[in-house]
Amino acid sequence: MRIRKILPLLSLSILILTLSLAFTSGALGYYFPLPGVRMLASWYLYTTLNPQFPEFSAMSPEAVTAIVWDYRGLDTLFETAVFFLAIVGALALMRGISLKSVVENNTATVEVEGNGLSPIVKTASRPLTPLIIAVSASIALHGHLTPGGGFQGGSAAAVAPLLLLVIFSVYFLVKRGISEKPMLVLRTVGLLGIYVTAFLAVIAGLVLGVNAYVFQNQPKFDAPVGVPAYVFNTLLSGTLFLFNLFEYLAVAGGFTLVFILLSIPEEIARSVLGGEEYE
Amino acid sequence: MIELSTLTYLFMAVTGVISMIATYLAVLEKDLVKAVVYSALQSTAYTLLFYLLMAPDISLVYIPVAVGLYPAVILFLIKKTERMEGDEK
């Protein structure tokens, strides 16, 4: 049909023309990115790492991570909760399927090893997978110093089991202990860690008998407790490092869990989910 | 002599046009696997745009999600249904 081809073209051209008009008339500003620093940005840059004023500072040179997990940490917590709920949905859909029992019932172990792509691809991906994990860990654990953070690192880490899944087949992963249950545990540990980190200052405040807030990172004027920014002279930015670490575990575990569930062969999934009616 | 900012804008414009063409092809493509590849191409262009707009954090999350994880999810779902979009003849 002709209208099916014309309609997307028309809408895209309208979008391009409208955006071009907006850019040329300066509706979105004349410079991208801005040559100078705006008032709000300069305030953030002034406060993110400023040891002279610890009551104002988030003690992290990375403004984006400081904003995401300190200035508006509650927002990020609920974003993580949305991701958590999506994975709960996937788990609810695939309930009752255990890949471990599928592997154990599969008597032909030789066939399990023979699955997947060619030996050339397998050999190339063997050294690649630990490299991906190492890079993702550095993205997540340096998240308070350089661009990156828990979600970025976690999603990069999830690429490694995904590669193994496609190249070696799901049975390879399950035989090496990367199945639904450990990933569920990893994700839950991550979420619990985020939850505990949010309450760290409150717990310290209760113990010491002083005022403290949920999601508090550094000491504030009326709440003199906080998570230490330096540990053994290394800048860890208090809660930011812990949040990044636990978000890394939660996201990597969550994505891997979803991919393992999605890669379960359709016949096995139907035979479990369909119950008696499936033939 | 071309200034660096002009070069950046030029590169951004080219990347934006590439992303638009990839979007158009992804919408029209009947073969869903090819549509996913076009969509990944569009995401790659967006990653470059985010980097040029000085948002390295977004770039870092966009590379694994939009080029690795999201096409993988869609490909798994295509495997569970049919590869070709039904034509209305």
Side-chain angles (χ1 to χ4, degrees):
Chain A
M1 291 289 281
R2 180 160 287 177
I3 195 144
R4 262 181 64 93
K5 292 194 174 181
I6 289 173
L7 218 58
L9 196 63
L10 199 70
S11 64
L12 276 174
S13 350
I14 289 172
L15 178 66
I16 293 174
L17 286 176
T18 321
L19 271 178
S20 317
L21 189 70
F23 276 121
T24 43
S25 63
L28 303 168
Y30 284 107
Y31 296 103
F32 287 97
L34 281 175
V37 179
R38 279 178 292 177
M39 278 292 285
L40 182 68
S42 67
W43 174 250
Y44 277 132
L45 290 172
Y46 181 67
T47 55
T48 42
L49 181 63
N50 199 337
Q52 274 89 40
F53 300 98
E55 286 89 357
F56 288 114
S57 179
M59 294 303 287
S60 160
E62 233 290 281
V64 176
T65 306
I67 289 165
V68 163
W69 276 119
D70 192 336
Y71 293 94
R72 29 161 285 195
L74 206 60
D75 203 273
T76 314
L77 179 74
F78 282 105
E79 280 169 19
T80 308
V82 170
F83 183 66
F84 171 75
L85 281 175
I87 288 162
V88 167
L91 275 173
L93 276 176
M94 302 297 260
R95 67 191 178 279
I97 302 176
S98 170
L99 263 173
K100 208 141 200 156
S101 65
V102 173
V103 172
E104 275 158 15
N105 290 341
N106 194 348
T107 47
T109 41
V110 185
E111 196 191 322
V112 168
E113 290 297 322
N115 277 335
L117 303 183
S118 74
I120 299 168
V121 186
K122 285 182 178 176
T123 312
S125 66
R126 259 177 230 275
L128 199 63
T129 318
L131 280 178
I132 293 171
I133 299 283
V135 168
S136 70
S138 84
I139 291 174
L141 302 182
H142 290 177
H144 58 292
L145 302 174
T146 50
F151 193 86
Q152 285 90 327
S155 49
V159 174
L162 177 66
L163 271 184
L164 291 181
L165 202 73
V166 173
I167 292 168
F168 288 91
S169 89
V170 66
Y171 302 114
F172 178 87
L173 274 187
V174 173
K175 280 194 85 176
R176 274 157 191 70
I178 307 171
S179 60
E180 319 99 286
K181 286 271 160 56
M183 288 303 115
L184 199 61
V185 168
L186 197 66
R187 193 203 58 154
T188 314
V189 165
L191 286 168
L192 271 178
I194 290 170
Y195 185 78
V196 170
T197 310
F199 281 99
L200 269 182
V202 176
I203 296 165
L206 283 176
V207 171
L208 297 170
V210 291
N211 200 14
Y213 297 104
V214 181
F215 266 97
Q216 186 179 339
N217 182 6
Q218 298 303 310
K220 296 284 174 277
F221 284 120
D222 56 341
V225 288
V227 184
Y230 289 92
V231 176
F232 301 118
N233 277 329
T234 306
L235 182 62
L236 288 185
S237 306
T239 52
L240 296 185
F241 177 77
L242 295 170
F243 277 135
N244 273 340
L245 174 67
F246 289 122
E247 174 91 353
Y248 174 61
L249 296 180
V251 171
F255 269 127
T256 312
L257 181 62
V258 167
F259 284 122
I260 289 173
L261 288 179
L262 276 175
S263 66
I264 294 172
E266 189 71 6
E267 302 101 61
I268 298 167
R270 281 215 190 151
S271 68
V272 175
L273 296 177
E276 298 289 307
E277 287 164 41
Y278 181 75
E279 291 171 327
Chain B
M1 187 68 197
I2 307 168
E3 277 181 56
L4 191 66
S5 62
T6 320
L7 210 64
T8 312
Y9 292 145
L10 207 68
F11 199 65
M12 274 163 69
V14 171
T15 325
V17 169
I18 289 172
S19 80
M20 282 291 178
I21 294 167
T23 312
Y24 178 68
L25 291 174
V27 169
L28 280 195
E29 185 58 56
K30 287 264 203 272
D31 187 345
L32 294 176
V33 175
K34 280 184 190 166
V36 168
V37 173
Y38 285 134
S39 176
L41 180 68
Q42 177 233 6
S43 305
T44 315
Y46 276 12
T47 312
L48 278 170
L49 276 178
F50 282 131
Y51 185 74
L52 292 172
L53 289 169
M54 292 188 187
D57 298 75
I58 309 291
S59 294
L60 274 175
V61 77
Y62 222 77
I63 295 166
V65 168
V67 184
L69 304 181
Y70 153 78
V73 168
I74 305 286
L75 286 176
F76 273 125
L77 292 179
I78 291 169
K79 201 182 157 197
K80 285 180 187 288
T81 58
E82 282 160 7
R83 182 170 169 169
M84 290 309 221
E85 203 175 306
D87 43 356
E88 63 271 37
K89 266 183 221 168

